[in-house]
């Protein structure tokens, strides 16, 4: 009998999964990107498809209702940067988008300013392009 095999890959732990399509304006224009869960069109509209998973707030920040939409869109933008599908120069635009969405969703000016400052100071490594984790076999 032939032994069973598995192919698998380590991924970052995710806390949240979308159940409906999410559309957000990013301000990042001129690209046509279509991945399994993220679409970014030339007008800057980003669509996150159902089942897109993200890890929510990072560091000492907490997941609150007024942070969820912004954190999903921000994580997706950073994912496009990490995959090398967008130039790293767009990182600041995704950080500004996060602040804008959090304000639209009712986050206080003080907290949204803190969130923006935190991603500007500490988000560089999370946005840095990198090679995907290898597929492992057992």
């Amino acid at each position: 009998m032939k032994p069973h095999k598995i192919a698998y890959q380590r991924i970052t732990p995710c806390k949240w999964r979308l159940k409906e399509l999410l559309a957000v304006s990013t301000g990042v224009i001129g690209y046509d990107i279509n991945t399994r869960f993220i679409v970014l069109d030339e007008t800057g509209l980003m669509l996150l498809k159902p089942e897109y998973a993200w890890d929510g707030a990072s560091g000492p920040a907490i997941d609150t209702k007024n942070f969820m939409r912004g954190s999903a869109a921000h994580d997706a933008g950073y994912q496009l940067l990490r995959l090398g599908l967008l130039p790293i120069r767009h990182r600041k635009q995704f950080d500004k988008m996060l602040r804008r969405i959090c304000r639209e969703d009712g986050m206080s000016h003080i907290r949204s300013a803190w969130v923006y400052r935190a991603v500007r100071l500490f988000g560089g490594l999370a946005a840095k392009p990198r090679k995907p984790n290898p597929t492992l076999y057992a």
Side-chain angles (χ1 to χ4, degrees), residues 46-100:
M46 183 165 60
L47 303 175
L48 303 182
K49 299 175 187 178
E51 302 304 313
Y52 174 73
W54 77 105
D55 66 354
S58 300
I62 57 173
D63 292 319
T64 55
K65 288 183 180 183
N66 57 17
F67 208 167
M68 298 310 290
R69 190 169 66 104
S71 70
H74 189 257
D75 283 10
Y78 268 39
Q79 185 175 347
L80 296 177
L81 297 172
R82 279 193 308 276
L83 292 171
L85 298 174
L86 288 173
I88 195 69
R89 71 175 182 269
H90 292 299
R91 177 179 160 234
K92 188 172 186 178
Q93 190 64 39
F94 286 118
D95 294 347
K96 288 179 178 181
M97 176 199 67
L98 170 63
R99 179 178 58 189
R100 175 183 52 82

